[in-house]
Amino acid sequence: MRKLGLIAGGGTLPVEIAEHCRRSGRPLLVIRLKGFAGAGLEPFAGVEVGLAELGKCFKALRRAGCEAVCLAGQVNRPDFATLMPDLRGMAALPAAIAAARHGDDALLRMLVGEFEKEGFAVEGAHEVMDDLAVGKGPLGRVAPGSAHGADIDQALAAAHAVGRLDAGQAAVVCRGLVLALEAAEGTDALLARVADLPEALRGRPGAPEGVLAKTPKPIQETRVDLPTIGPATVEAAARAGLAGIVGEVGRLLVLDREAVIALADDLGIFILGVEPRAP
């Protein structure tokens, strides 16, 4: 079992991965990204590294004997003018700035390439934890009914469409009407916008209707940036009056899975995995 270097940003995903490695006995070194990695990673062996300190990062990984890396967690796009790169980071900075002009996905692909140049295999979070991504069918006790089929299909098609524009990963459809498309604001803000719409356009608690779909963009580097949902997503979907959440098998991460299932079951919301469809 090759040793894993976890390049950890914010949120719960890096903690879940670190705890999974501890349970499974996989050797681990945590690279805590300065200003992003949370306190939940402090019990794990590792070092703190600035965003542009690539040399320090690579040196720590090699010293620890890591053969693979996993990039996980939330990291905001940096202000390149304020970064303090080391020599290796300085060498990569022009390429990073050029990639960033083409969007966050291009920047991530460039960063993955830097690790691969140094000889590290890059593993997706869903590859490290094979039960992290949604499987086929409903997750939990609540299943969609026949009345939801058209909204599921249209929401997936709308999510693919916005992904082709490199704008976002998600869409909400209710009774055949596209209520909202995701852009830079993220899924929580998308669902908050839906919740603010008149109830004549959407479902409501006690009479839920409509579906949130989340899919990767066609150009997305899925090893480092798959769509995710967690308990907060389920709560926001309920406030928006939605009946369910849908994603593609192996291409939607479910964080804090037990809590998500319990919450969705309690709120009467289905979470569904479907086979990937052509965008």
Side-chain angles (χ1 to χ4, degrees):
M1 188 179 294
R2 58 189 181 187
K3 189 168 186 176
L4 182 69
L6 175 59
I7 316 301
T12 63
L13 178 56
V15 179
E16 288 197 37
I17 292 172
E19 290 177 345
H20 170 80
C21 288
R22 179 166 59 188
R23 289 192 304 270
S24 64
R26 182 170 188 178
L28 176 72
L29 177 78
V30 177
I31 303 293
R32 298 185 296 273
L33 294 180
K34 191 178 299 183
F36 296 99
L41 291 165
E42 290 177 359
F44 299 93
V47 296
E48 186 176 72
V49 172
L51 278 183
E53 293 180 320
L54 287 181
K56 181 179 179 180
C57 177
F58 296 147
K59 184 176 181 180
L61 291 168
R62 289 200 178 93
R63 187 188 302 123
C66 295
E67 298 176 84
V69 295
C70 177
L71 287 72
Q74 299 161 1
V75 177
N76 296 329
R77 176 187 278 243
D79 178 354
F80 290 102
T82 65
L83 292 178
M84 300 181 65
D86 56 18
L87 287 176
R88 181 62 177 81
M90 193 173 297
L93 195 57
I97 293 171
R101 295 193 183 104
H102 298 282
D104 291 344
D105 295 299
L107 180 58
L108 286 172
R109 289 195 299 274
M110 174 268 164
L111 184 59
V112 166
E114 292 299 312
F115 281 93
E116 291 178 329
K117 284 178 190 175
E118 297 291 328
F120 298 104
V122 179
E123 298 183 19
H126 59 298
E127 296 170 322
V128 177
M129 295 179 62
D130 58 10
D131 62 346
L132 187 60
V134 70
K136 186 174 181 179
L139 185 67
R141 295 193 307 268
V142 183
S146 58
H148 299 120
D151 280 352
I152 289 170
D153 291 342
Q154 189 162 351
L156 286 166
H160 281 138
V162 75
R164 286 195 295 273
L165 296 174
D166 194 17
Q169 302 175 326
V172 174
V173 171
C174 182
R175 297 192 295 272
L177 180 65
V178 177
L179 298 186
L181 301 172
E182 184 186 61
E185 80 277 26
T187 304
D188 288 347
L190 168 81
L191 292 171
R193 284 197 280 122
V194 175
D196 285 338
L197 292 173
E199 286 189 356
L201 294 177
R202 59 178 179 84
R204 62 185 186 279
E209 292 187 80
V211 174
L212 165 71
K214 294 196 73 172
T215 65
K217 302 172 188 175
I219 63 169
Q220 201 157 327
E221 174 50 83
T222 57
R223 289 176 293 176
V224 295
D225 190 28
L226 277 176
T228 63
I229 62 170
T233 315
V234 177
E235 291 173 346
R239 287 193 296 271
L242 297 184
I245 299 169
V246 62
E248 295 174 329
V249 172
R251 291 157 64 86
L252 175 68
L253 304 184
V254 182
L255 308 184
D256 199 353
R257 178 177 288 244
E258 290 185 5
V260 164
I261 293 172
L263 185 59
D265 285 348
D266 185 56
L267 294 171
I269 291 176
F270 66 81
I271 299 172
L272 182 68
V274 301
E275 293 294 345
R277 306 179 183 186

